[in-house]
Amino acid sequence: MTEGLVLRLPTSEEVDTFWRDGVVCLRGALDPAAVLGMAPAVERLLRGSVGETMHDMSALGAGLAAAGSTVLTDGVQGQGRFVSGTDHWRVDEDCRAFALDRGLAALAGALLRSRRVYLWEDSILVKEPDTAERTAWHQDMGYFHASGEQVCTTWIPLDVADAETGAMSFVRGSHRDGALYRPNWFVSQQSMEGTEGLEVPNVESLARAGRVELVQYALGPGDLTVHHARTLHAAGGNLSRQRRRRAISIRYCGDDARYHFRPGAPRKPHHDGVQEGDPLGDPDCPLVWQAAL
Ligand SMILES: O=C(O)CCC(=O)C(=O)O
């Protein structure tokens, strides 16, 4: 457990906001020092010294662009890079302690109204200064081989994340219609081949027409957002020439989640050992927190 990471649990109003809007911003819920204590782990992973879990999304974007796909750079070529990865908890002790933090899982359990919380995966997402690549509009559910409504992502910044450096934006209430959207390549709206579901709509034009409402929060260390796995969300590039935008996401499932395989979505090695409909809680998707009886 990360020492003293969580300072407070969500209020009942914040729980209601999560279920109404599909996202909630929890200010001052985490100890900034404990969050910043993850900085060395982030640097280790960026240097690639602890395994193959990080990906250069800017390089992926250049490859996709060369193959004819539209990459979300607003026509700008930045000097910085967007680097991200998943499943660091399997290769790095600090990431393991953070992802298995019982306080953070209890916070997710309160929001999910769940008696049990399982770790699905962790993710590190760094946008260095002057990174042009935006994070495409997407819904996490399409990437997860899981069913259930008690599924969420916590997004925890190590730096100030604002409109300039690439704060996340969310389509308010978009989790409520039950739509499943095809996963995409994260820096392009192009859907992954062989995946099922709806194409992600042009959220920005819908917002301009007043047909959806976008919400964005400027966050600092100690704040976090938690969004539902069906909530459409995206993030800007990092337009600052000085400031980094480092973040850690921890993704959790609750009581009603089961393994549910989605054609074409990226699989993890342990998925070969589980069946459709299996409960979570195996060592690769561990139970992190359970409510007292
Ligand atoms: O940090 C980003 O740019 C995107 C993160 C994201 O979409 C997520 O954690 O679900």
XYZ file of all heavy atoms in Angstrom, residues 124-183:
470
model
N 0.347 4.508 -17.487
C 1.088 5.774 -17.340
C 0.958 6.516 -18.663
O 1.099 5.915 -19.737
C 2.558 5.503 -16.964
C 2.616 5.015 -15.516
C 3.421 6.752 -17.147
C 3.985 4.636 -15.021
N 0.652 7.815 -18.582
C 0.349 8.609 -19.783
C 1.096 9.929 -19.675
O 0.715 10.799 -18.886
C -1.157 8.862 -19.848
C -2.022 7.584 -19.829
C -3.054 7.642 -18.718
C -2.650 7.333 -21.173
N 2.161 10.066 -20.435
C 2.991 11.271 -20.340
C 2.913 12.041 -21.655
O 3.139 11.463 -22.724
C 4.461 10.905 -20.028
C 5.332 12.155 -20.002
C 4.552 10.164 -18.690
N 2.584 13.330 -21.549
C 2.701 14.229 -22.706
C 3.772 15.243 -22.358
O 3.565 16.104 -21.491
C 1.357 14.898 -23.027
C 0.351 13.898 -23.587
C -0.881 14.522 -24.187
C -1.750 13.398 -24.769
N -2.968 13.880 -25.407
N 4.891 15.112 -23.019
C 6.007 16.031 -22.762
C 5.652 17.412 -23.330
O 4.752 17.524 -24.165
C 7.288 15.496 -23.420
C 7.751 14.141 -22.883
C 8.271 14.185 -21.443
O 8.228 15.258 -20.816
O 8.693 13.133 -20.935
N 6.345 18.474 -22.873
C 6.075 19.801 -23.442
C 6.132 19.767 -24.976
O 6.959 19.045 -25.542
C 7.216 20.663 -22.858
C 7.594 19.966 -21.594
C 7.401 18.498 -21.848
N 5.245 20.529 -25.598
C 5.205 20.631 -27.058
C 4.901 19.285 -27.731
O 5.559 18.889 -28.680
C 6.538 21.219 -27.572
C 6.441 21.683 -29.014
O 5.310 21.924 -29.489
O 7.499 21.786 -29.659
N 3.885 18.616 -27.200
C 3.403 17.377 -27.838
C 2.131 17.707 -28.609
O 1.142 18.176 -28.026
C 3.114 16.293 -26.773
O 4.355 15.893 -26.177
C 2.432 15.078 -27.374
N 2.169 17.457 -29.906
C 1.019 17.844 -30.740
C -0.117 16.820 -30.645
O -1.285 17.184 -30.798
C 1.480 17.965 -32.188
N 0.218 15.573 -30.411
C -0.797 14.517 -30.498
C -1.861 14.679 -29.416
O -1.559 14.689 -28.227
C -0.166 13.120 -30.373
C 0.613 12.676 -31.590
C 2.001 13.304 -31.685
O 2.502 13.822 -30.650
O 2.563 13.283 -32.785
N -3.114 14.778 -29.897
C -4.242 14.750 -28.969
C -4.650 13.305 -28.731
O -4.394 12.438 -29.568
C -5.424 15.507 -29.588
C -5.243 17.020 -29.535
C -6.058 17.737 -30.595
N -7.437 17.306 -30.647
C -8.239 17.490 -31.691
N -7.799 18.095 -32.784
N -9.480 17.073 -31.655
N -5.277 13.067 -27.587
C -5.843 11.737 -27.322
C -7.237 11.722 -27.931
O -8.058 12.590 -27.621
C -5.928 11.477 -25.801
O -4.638 11.699 -25.225
C -6.380 10.056 -25.509
N -7.496 10.746 -28.792
C -8.763 10.709 -29.536
C -9.935 10.442 -28.596
O -9.773 9.819 -27.536
C -8.692 9.597 -30.582
N -11.117 10.884 -29.031
C -12.330 10.552 -28.285
C -12.501 9.045 -28.260
O -12.404 8.378 -29.308
C -13.557 11.220 -28.923
C -13.570 12.700 -28.685
C -13.163 13.664 -29.554
C -13.968 13.360 -27.475
N -13.278 14.903 -28.952
C -13.770 14.743 -27.678
C -14.458 12.928 -26.249
C -14.057 15.698 -26.707
C -14.746 13.872 -25.271
C -14.548 15.230 -25.504
N -12.726 8.510 -27.098
C -12.912 7.060 -26.975
C -13.662 6.743 -25.698
O -13.848 7.602 -24.833
C -11.558 6.336 -26.993
C -10.706 6.620 -25.781
N -9.968 7.778 -25.625
C -10.506 5.908 -24.644
C -9.343 7.760 -24.465
N -9.652 6.634 -23.837
N -14.042 5.489 -25.609
C -14.728 4.953 -24.437
C -13.887 3.759 -23.978
O -13.515 2.914 -24.800
C -16.114 4.488 -24.907
C -16.978 3.834 -23.900
C -18.098 3.067 -24.594
O -17.852 2.176 -25.409
N -19.327 3.399 -24.271
N -13.568 3.680 -22.700
C -12.679 2.615 -22.228
C -13.292 1.224 -22.394
O -12.579 0.243 -22.628
C -12.320 2.827 -20.749
C -11.492 4.089 -20.545
O -10.942 4.614 -21.541
O -11.395 4.562 -19.394
N -14.615 1.129 -22.266
C -15.261 -0.184 -22.255
C -14.904 -1.026 -23.477
O -14.717 -2.235 -23.361
C -16.786 0.001 -22.168
C -17.543 -1.243 -21.812
S -16.935 -1.942 -20.258
C -18.363 -1.822 -19.251
N -14.800 -0.380 -24.637
C -14.512 -1.110 -25.866
C -13.147 -1.799 -25.854
O -12.900 -2.716 -26.642
N -12.245 -1.341 -24.979
C -10.902 -1.941 -24.889
C -10.861 -3.065 -23.857
O -9.912 -3.832 -23.818
C -9.859 -0.905 -24.439
C -9.671 0.264 -25.369
C -10.550 1.328 -25.362
C -8.591 0.308 -26.252
C -10.377 2.420 -26.197
C -8.402 1.395 -27.087
C -9.306 2.444 -27.054
O -9.117 3.509 -27.891
N -11.874 -3.076 -22.966
C -11.832 -4.007 -21.830
C -12.558 -5.297 -22.200
O -13.714 -5.250 -22.638
C -12.555 -3.415 -20.614
C -11.891 -2.217 -19.975
C -12.485 -1.589 -18.894
C -10.684 -1.725 -20.435
C -11.898 -0.495 -18.286
C -10.089 -0.630 -19.843
C -10.700 -0.008 -18.765
N -11.943 -6.420 -21.919
C -12.646 -7.698 -22.107
C -13.440 -7.969 -20.836
O -13.179 -8.944 -20.117
C -11.650 -8.807 -22.418
C -10.990 -8.623 -23.751
N -11.662 -8.798 -24.941
C -9.742 -8.240 -24.092
C -10.843 -8.547 -25.960
N -9.673 -8.201 -25.469
N -14.370 -7.082 -20.556
C -15.167 -7.194 -19.338
C -16.570 -6.668 -19.619
O -16.743 -5.755 -20.433
C -14.542 -6.385 -18.207
N -17.540 -7.260 -18.954
C -18.910 -6.728 -18.980
C -19.188 -6.122 -17.609
O -18.426 -6.336 -16.669
C -19.904 -7.860 -19.245
O -19.826 -8.792 -18.174
N -20.289 -5.397 -17.500
C -20.664 -4.830 -16.202
C -20.759 -3.329 -16.284
O -20.183 -2.694 -17.178
N -21.500 -2.776 -15.348
C -21.638 -1.315 -15.277
C -20.762 -0.728 -14.179
O -20.548 0.489 -14.145
C -23.106 -0.939 -15.041
C -23.998 -1.166 -16.257
C -23.483 -0.455 -17.513
O -23.094 0.722 -17.448
O -23.449 -1.122 -18.569
N -20.264 -1.566 -13.279
C -19.429 -1.045 -12.186
C -17.957 -1.114 -12.616
O -17.169 -1.919 -12.107
C -19.691 -1.836 -10.908
C -21.062 -1.514 -10.312
C -21.482 -2.533 -9.287
O -21.551 -3.724 -9.592
N -21.771 -2.096 -8.069
N -17.625 -0.274 -13.585
C -16.271 -0.267 -14.154
C -15.858 1.202 -14.320
O -16.639 2.008 -14.850
C -16.241 -0.994 -15.524
C -14.818 -1.081 -16.050
C -16.839 -2.401 -15.424
N -14.663 1.548 -13.859
C -14.272 2.967 -13.907
C -12.759 3.130 -14.069
O -11.991 2.174 -13.902
C -14.717 3.697 -12.633
S -13.763 3.272 -11.172
N -12.375 4.353 -14.390
C -10.957 4.727 -14.510
C -10.692 5.933 -13.629
O -11.410 6.941 -13.716
C -10.627 5.078 -15.979
O -10.709 3.890 -16.766
C -9.230 5.672 -16.120
N -9.672 5.843 -12.794
C -9.208 7.011 -12.034
C -8.048 7.620 -12.829
O -7.177 6.888 -13.315
C -8.691 6.590 -10.644
O -7.607 5.668 -10.810
C -9.779 5.918 -9.824
N -8.033 8.930 -12.978
C -6.965 9.616 -13.745
C -6.296 10.601 -12.782
O -6.930 11.544 -12.294
C -7.563 10.315 -14.964
C -6.566 10.768 -15.982
C -6.052 10.029 -17.008
C -5.966 12.074 -16.106
N -5.183 10.792 -17.754
C -5.101 12.048 -17.224
C -6.074 13.256 -15.379
C -4.363 13.151 -17.629
C -5.323 14.354 -15.778
C -4.479 14.289 -16.899
N -5.018 10.341 -12.517
C -4.311 10.996 -11.406
C -3.084 11.733 -11.944
O -2.090 11.101 -12.334
C -3.881 9.908 -10.385
C -5.120 9.161 -9.891
C -3.083 10.525 -9.243
C -4.801 7.909 -9.079
N -3.145 13.077 -11.989
C -2.008 13.809 -12.568
C -0.862 14.013 -11.569
O -1.100 14.192 -10.371
C -2.627 15.156 -12.931
C -3.715 15.338 -11.931
C -4.235 13.962 -11.590
N 0.355 14.009 -12.098
C 1.537 14.349 -11.289
C 1.939 15.803 -11.522
O 2.860 16.307 -10.868
C 2.718 13.439 -11.638
C 2.758 12.059 -10.959
C 1.696 11.137 -11.531
C 4.125 11.420 -11.090
N 1.312 16.448 -12.505
C 1.590 17.856 -12.824
C 0.255 18.570 -12.924
O -0.790 17.921 -12.981
C 2.286 17.960 -14.203
C 3.563 17.169 -14.239
O 4.515 17.543 -13.538
O 3.602 16.143 -14.957
N 0.307 19.887 -13.019
C -0.941 20.600 -13.308
C -1.362 20.210 -14.734
O -0.573 20.313 -15.676
C -0.746 22.126 -13.183
C -1.972 22.869 -13.709
C -0.483 22.494 -11.719
N -2.577 19.707 -14.833
C -3.134 19.355 -16.150
C -4.261 20.336 -16.420
O -5.257 20.360 -15.694
C -3.648 17.926 -16.140
N -4.075 21.176 -17.440
C -5.109 22.167 -17.762
C -5.292 22.196 -19.271
O -4.719 21.362 -19.992
C -4.728 23.544 -17.174
C -3.358 24.018 -17.633
O -2.876 23.527 -18.681
O -2.760 24.871 -16.951
N -6.092 23.154 -19.734
C -6.419 23.175 -21.165
C -5.149 23.286 -22.010
O -5.094 22.769 -23.126
C -7.366 24.325 -21.454
N -4.120 23.941 -21.490
C -2.893 24.099 -22.279
C -2.072 22.802 -22.336
O -1.518 22.436 -23.372
C -2.023 25.229 -21.702
C -0.806 25.497 -22.570
C 0.185 26.491 -21.983
O 0.353 26.528 -20.749
O 0.810 27.211 -22.783
N -2.006 22.089 -21.212
C -1.084 20.933 -21.167
C -1.757 19.606 -21.513
O -1.081 18.567 -21.527
C -0.424 20.806 -19.774
O -1.442 20.613 -18.779
C 0.407 22.021 -19.429
N -3.074 19.615 -21.766
C -3.714 18.358 -22.174
C -4.604 17.763 -21.111
O -4.542 16.551 -20.854
N -5.445 18.614 -20.510
C -6.428 18.091 -19.554
C -7.419 17.192 -20.297
O -7.653 17.360 -21.492
C -7.179 19.251 -18.896
N -8.007 16.297 -19.570
C -9.019 15.416 -20.156
C -10.341 16.182 -20.308
O -10.677 17.038 -19.488
C -9.250 14.231 -19.232
C -8.027 13.347 -19.092
S -8.197 11.853 -20.030
C -9.135 10.919 -18.852
N -11.099 15.825 -21.331
C -12.465 16.327 -21.522
C -13.406 15.130 -21.568
O -13.019 14.056 -22.048
C -12.599 17.075 -22.848
O -11.806 18.226 -22.850
N -14.614 15.341 -21.119
C -15.590 14.246 -21.020
C -16.916 14.714 -21.616
O -17.283 15.884 -21.481
C -15.829 13.881 -19.548
C -14.555 13.535 -18.808
C -13.791 14.543 -18.208
C -14.114 12.228 -18.725
C -12.613 14.243 -17.533
C -12.936 11.914 -18.046
C -12.182 12.926 -17.448
N -17.649 13.775 -22.244
C -19.012 14.086 -22.684
C -19.940 13.747 -21.524
O -20.106 12.573 -21.169
C -19.412 13.280 -23.936
C -20.848 13.650 -24.344
C -18.446 13.540 -25.085
N -20.489 14.805 -20.931
C -21.303 14.618 -19.743
C -22.483 13.667 -20.022
O -23.206 13.855 -21.008
C -21.851 15.975 -19.279
C -22.419 15.949 -17.867
C -23.252 17.180 -17.562
N -22.525 18.430 -17.512
C -21.865 18.901 -16.439
N -21.800 18.196 -15.337
N -21.267 20.062 -16.498
N -22.609 12.658 -19.187
C -23.763 11.746 -19.271
C -23.692 10.728 -20.399
O -24.652 9.987 -20.618
N -22.543 10.652 -21.104
C -22.489 9.770 -22.284
C -22.464 8.287 -21.905
O -22.597 7.427 -22.779
C -21.281 10.112 -23.157
O -20.097 10.166 -22.386
N -22.290 7.971 -20.651
C -22.281 6.559 -20.221
C -23.707 6.006 -20.124
O -23.886 4.804 -20.015
C -21.628 6.447 -18.829
C -22.395 7.141 -17.747
N -22.738 8.484 -17.826
C -22.919 6.696 -16.582
C -23.426 8.817 -16.745
N -23.542 7.759 -15.975
N -24.718 6.903 -20.183
C -26.054 6.487 -19.755
C -26.856 5.773 -20.832
O -27.813 5.086 -20.513
C -26.846 7.698 -19.245
C -26.525 7.984 -17.794
C -27.546 8.895 -17.167
N -27.023 10.246 -17.054
C -27.617 11.330 -17.529
N -28.757 11.240 -18.169
N -27.073 12.508 -17.372
N -26.472 5.940 -22.124
C -27.316 5.332 -23.163
C -26.923 3.886 -23.462
O -27.526 3.231 -24.312
C -27.292 6.169 -24.451
C -25.896 6.288 -25.031
O -24.974 5.613 -24.531
O -25.721 7.059 -25.998
N -25.903 3.373 -22.776
C -25.537 1.959 -22.939
C -24.777 1.681 -24.230
O -24.490 0.521 -24.537
N -24.452 2.737 -25.020
C -23.773 2.513 -26.306
C -22.373 1.948 -26.085
O -21.675 2.328 -25.143
C -23.681 3.826 -27.068
N -21.982 1.038 -26.964
C -20.616 0.529 -26.953
C -19.926 1.059 -28.211
O -20.435 0.881 -29.319
C -20.586 -0.998 -26.971
C -19.169 -1.550 -26.976
C -18.560 -1.500 -25.577
C -19.119 -2.947 -27.541
N -18.788 1.734 -28.040
C -18.067 2.306 -29.174
C -16.817 1.488 -29.482
O -16.164 0.954 -28.572
C -17.673 3.758 -28.869
C -18.872 4.670 -28.755
C -19.342 5.073 -27.514
C -19.558 5.072 -29.899
C -20.464 5.887 -27.404
C -20.684 5.888 -29.791
C -21.132 6.287 -28.555
O -22.240 7.082 -28.463
N -16.492 1.427 -30.767
C -15.289 0.694 -31.180
C -14.037 1.386 -30.646
O -13.940 2.623 -30.689
C -15.216 0.646 -32.715
C -16.361 -0.123 -33.342
C -16.241 -0.111 -34.844
N -15.074 -0.873 -35.278
C -14.642 -0.908 -36.535
N -15.266 -0.226 -37.473
N -13.585 -1.629 -36.846
N -13.075 0.617 -30.148
C -11.817 1.231 -29.703
C -11.029 1.766 -30.888
O -11.151 1.252 -32.006
C -11.079 0.076 -29.014
C -11.678 -1.174 -29.550
C -13.086 -0.847 -29.976
